[in-house]
Amino acid sequence: MKYWLIKSEPHDYSLADLQADGVEIWDGVRNYQARNFLREMAVGDRLFYYHSNTKPPGIVGLAKVTQANVVDPTQFDAEHKYFDPKATPEKPRWQTVKVGYTSTFATMITLTQLKENFTPDEFAVVRRGNRLSVMPVAEDVAKRLYALADYDGTA
DNA sequence: GCCAACGTTGGC
DNA sequence: GCCAACGTTGGC
């Protein structure tokens, strides 16, 4: 089992939205580095859910991978914002995963706290100018995040 | 709303 | 294949 961080703008799709939906396809990622991480994900992997472009930004809870290697259907839809004219059903370019809700932290871990606790080398999300929306989280970092959130690690 | 960072596009 | 222009992300 691996750990990852996924970003979402809460006014677009928040952790509460995922809680309401239960499971949702993580579509719309159009960055190759992020896609390559999505391709590496396996069922059961843990996802730290990060709210970006909000005050304050930070990790608000946990989700999990419920299905791996899912073809993102929005790439084929000419009407869709995430349409990719170079993708075909025979040769899709964008794979993703389905994510399931796990839990919401009693108190979020703000970006300020993340910067106080982790170096940019340890955790890319605190790197200045970082725009990657999917990134791996090292196991020791994940354990320290659990401690910061007062989360017992079971879900 | 500003702007730094940085990925992508397209002309050459 | 280089690189300037452009668009987007996302913190502040």
Side-chain angles (χ1 to χ4, degrees):
Chain A
M1 186 198 42
K2 289 185 180 171
Y3 300 90
W4 309 88
L5 178 142
I6 58 174
K7 287 185 191 172
S8 185
E9 304 196 7
H11 51 269
D12 188 34
Y13 196 77
S14 69
L15 184 58
D17 293 328
L18 179 61
Q19 181 174 18
D21 292 342
V23 171
E24 180 65 301
I25 184 166
W26 205 249
D27 61 16
V29 173
R30 293 292 180 271
N31 169 285
Y32 286 106
Q33 202 181 348
R35 182 208 61 186
N36 292 343
F37 288 136
L38 288 167
R39 283 178 171 174
E40 288 179 37
M41 289 183 184
V43 171
D45 282 3
R46 298 280 181 94
L47 305 166
F48 289 94
Y49 203 104
Y50 181 93
H51 279 177
S52 64
N53 231 324
T54 189
K55 286 181 185 175
I59 297 171
V60 292
L62 288 170
K64 58 184 175 287
V65 177
T66 61
Q67 192 179 334
N69 257 298
V70 179
V71 173
D72 183 340
T74 61
Q75 67 192 303
F76 309 127
D77 180 357
E79 303 300 308
H80 202 280
K81 180 185 174 188
Y82 297 118
F83 177 61
D84 183 346
K86 291 177 181 162
T88 65
E90 294 72 35
K91 284 206 165 189
R93 297 178 121 193
W94 304 105
Q95 288 82 20
T96 185
V97 296
K98 284 187 182 174
V99 302
Y101 176 80
T102 299
S103 68
T104 303
F105 293 150
T107 50
M108 71 181 293
I109 310 172
T110 64
L111 180 58
T112 304
Q113 283 178 279
L114 293 173
K115 286 178 174 169
E116 286 165 0
N117 284 277
F118 299 99
T119 66
D121 272 353
E122 285 178 313
F123 200 8
V125 76
V126 302
R127 224 168 272 161
R128 179 187 169 82
N130 165 68
R131 290 166 33 184
L132 194 59
S133 64
V134 179
M135 67 188 74
V137 178
E139 183 164 0
D140 63 305
V141 171
K143 295 291 159 60
R144 288 160 65 193
L145 290 171
Y146 284 166
L148 283 171
D150 239 340
Y151 179 75
D152 66 8
T154 61

